[in-house]
Structure formats: C-alpha cells, structure tokens
Amino acid sequence: MSAAGTGGTDTYEMVVGLEVHVQLRTRTKLFCNCSTQFGEPPNRNTCPVCLALPGSLPVLNEAAVELATKAALALGADVAEESIFARKNYFYPDLPKGYQISQFDKPLATEGQLIIGERADGSAIRICITRLHMEEDAGKSIHDRFNGLSAIDLNRAGVPLVEIVSDPDLRSSAEAGSYLRLLKQLLEYVDVSDLNMEEGSLRVDANISIRKRGETKLGTKTEVKNMNSFSGVERALEAEFARQVGILESGGVVEQQTLLWDADRGTVRPARSKEGSHDYRYFPDPDLPPLRLTHEWIGRLRDRLPELPDAKRRRFTDEHRLSPYDIDVLTASPRIAEYFEAVAHAHGDSKTVANWIMGEVLAVLKQTGLPIDRFPVRPRDLATLLDMVRDGAVSNTAAKRIFGIMVQTGELPAQIAEREGLAQVGDEGQLAAWVDEVLAAQSSEWARYRAGEKKLLGVFVGAVMKKSGGRADPKKVNQLLAMRASG
Ligand SMILES: [Zn+2]
C-alpha cells in the first residue's frame, strides 16, 4: 500500500456480514402450483394464491423444504424440528399481499459455518452462518419499457428462496469473495439451485461497517445492494469502505442506510433509508401451520448428502496424489470431478488424466460454453485415447488432433486414428529407413554428434518426426539413434 492517502485504510478494518438469497431448484412455487420457469411471458406463471386474491390459501411445497434443509445440512447448521412462517409486512407494488411470507424468530436452521481459508498462523478462517431461512420471492417492477409508465411482472412472486445470513466475520473484500465462491460451490455440490446470477438465482446484500484495528465494538453499518457479480461485491465493499473511512477521518458520523452499488461509476448511492426490522411487524402467518420436521427425516437427508467439497479434496489428495492446485481445479465443480474420476478409473494414470482435463477438456468447455454434462466426448472414449498414447499407438501430438475431431463428431479414437492416418509407426524397418535418410542428409551434424556434441540429438529426432508426418514413435527413434551412434 502506498503511503499517501491510505493512512486511513491502514488504521481501519472492514467488518462485513453477507446475506445471500438463493433461488431453490423447484418446479413450482413455494405456496402454489405455478411454474418457476424463468423467461416466460409476464404474469403467465400466476394464480389466485401468488396474485393474493381474496380467499386463496398457501400450501407449502415439500420439495422446497427438502432443498432448503439440504443446503442447511451442507453448511453444518442445526435444522430446527419446528420453524415458523411469518409475515413480513411492507408495501411495495411487486408484493401483491402487502407482506412477504418469510421466517423470523424461528428460522429453519441456525449456526452453520463455512471455512474459507487459513490465517498466516495456520488457524482456520471460520465464517459463522447465523441463520438460514425460507421465504418467497417478490415480483419484479419494470420501469424502463413503457414510456414512463411502470409495469409489474409477478412470475417471480412466490418463487422459493433461502436466505443465508452470515455473522459479521469477514474482514476484507477478498474474504467476502472467497466466502461467496465457496458458498456457491457448496450449493452446487448439493444441487439445490441453478445458481444463475444473471437470472437472479443468487443475489447478495452486504452489511459493512468499519472500526479502528484492535477495537472490538462494531461501528454503524450500512447495507449495500444491487451487486450482480462476486467481483461486483468485492468492488462495492472497497468503495463503501473508502467512503466510510473518508467520513470518519473528516470527523463525520456514518449514517445507517441502504446503498445501491453503481457498477458503471464504481460508487454507491443511497436508496431508501434503512428500516429497522421492527417496522416489518413480523407475526406468525395464521394461514400456515408451524413447519415440523422429524429427527428421522432430517437424519435421512443428512445421510443422503453427496460428498462435499472438503471431503472430495481430501479423498482426491489420498487417492489421486495430485498437487493442491490440480485438486482445486478438478473439484471446483462436482461434475468436472465426476468426469475426471470416470476417466481416471478407466485409464489408470490420474496425473495424465488431470493434465488432459485441465488442458484440452476445460479449453473446449470454455470455448463452447457447454456444461460438462453435455460434453461430446464420453469419459471412457477419452480414457481409450489416453490408453493409445500410453501404448504407443498414437503420439501425444496426434492424440490432440484426434481429440479435436472427437469433440466435433463424437467418433471413437481408433476409428479417427485410422481414417486420418495418425496411427504411430513403430515398425523397425520403416523407422530405420527414416533414420538413415536423415543421417545421410545431415552427415556433418551426425559426425559432430558422434564427436560429443550431444545436444544435436534433438535435431535428428525432430527431423525423423517431421519426415514421418509426426507418426514415428519418438521412443523407438531415440533407441535407433543410440544404436547408430554406438555402432
Ligand atoms: Zn401461483
């Protein structure tokens, strides 16, 4: 950090808690049978319940409870055997009932945690999850499409969400970024949401305050909203931190308020003033009985959780003996990890498989935007290709060309190798003929090599490979050259 002007940011530390809203992957809404399909014509996915017509009653969606509970268990949270749906009262045009059904004093789950890294002294950076509760989403106001008139789309009203609230345990924008990326990864592992940030399936609000380093008392916090990427969250926190430091340094007082992040300008601006939670006049929703989950039901869900990222990383370290970096890349997504393991089990050499997936496979996924579960090369066909390289049937260079064709056509590697004339030549007679031709053409270099200029070996190997159109088996070419040199 430079000395000028940053005295303030060295003196102060950032204290951040995050509220993450995650849309659950259900077919229907939280309290009615309307579809949750994104991108339908406005107000297509509505019914008397989510339009709040008089006399309609909510019925809780069991699938949503199951997904929310899985998310809570993955975070190591205590799932309550009884939780209560409450009405959060406020007026806004996108909220037809005049209240949102949420959970307040008895949420679905409390006291989870996420470990996001290690401090310099080796202790874990543990972020506590205060609570995880279920709630319904609101609709969407549209202000910019109808010549100054506002419109309302209630397709999203009633879509199931979980809100995951962390303690103010984060101390930098980088920690906030790590927390969000690891949380997203964990939720992808338990498959409770499509986590699509562009479609609003994962939304983040940040509470941020500052205090002098070494102080334990919390400062006045502001809430920053409207960030639609993780890097946006990091930039917004930096901007708000600098703003608060500026206020305190000039003798002012931070005002508790809600701010909106403006990504284009890189600044925050005030939204409406922050209401305290008492203004929502929460009370238990009389239309919904308490949500009761049995100990056995929760236990069954816990037993059925898939292997989580930490456990997978540990197992990959033991079973595949890869570097920490390789393991991070391969376990970033559960589907990549699954693909890797399928190829590795079929082929046998984990390191070779890891290199191919981190190189060739991820490059194609990045280029095409395809998800791995729609990748055209099946794991066992990739394993066959790697077997062919190991057995000397094709060179590594030829294998890359074959792989490129497999991606296009989905053909088997042996079929492509034969049609394209890429099979490696290991035939002694043919190889000897190529070697002799090269040595005849480069007789003076050959004499220098035999006189001790050993670095020329690569020149001869390269020339033979070129003469063979890349098909000569380089191992055997090396052996033949060694024999010629000693003969
Ligand atoms: Zn509905």
Side-chain angles (χ1 to χ4, degrees), residues 240-261:
E240 176 56 5
F241 178 63
R243 191 188 72 90
Q244 291 189 15
V245 169
I247 291 172
L248 293 193
E249 287 285 273
S250 59
V253 196
V254 174
E255 192 191 330
Q256 180 168 342
Q257 60 181 329
T258 301
L259 302 159
L260 299 179
W261 168 240

Side-chain angles (χ1 to χ4, degrees), residues 32 34 46-47 50:
C32 62
C34 292
T46 54
C47 74
C50 53

Side-chain angles (χ1 to χ4, degrees), residues 426-437:
D427 173 65
E428 301 278 342
Q430 177 62 71
L431 291 175
W434 282 328
V435 166
D436 290 338
E437 281 174 48

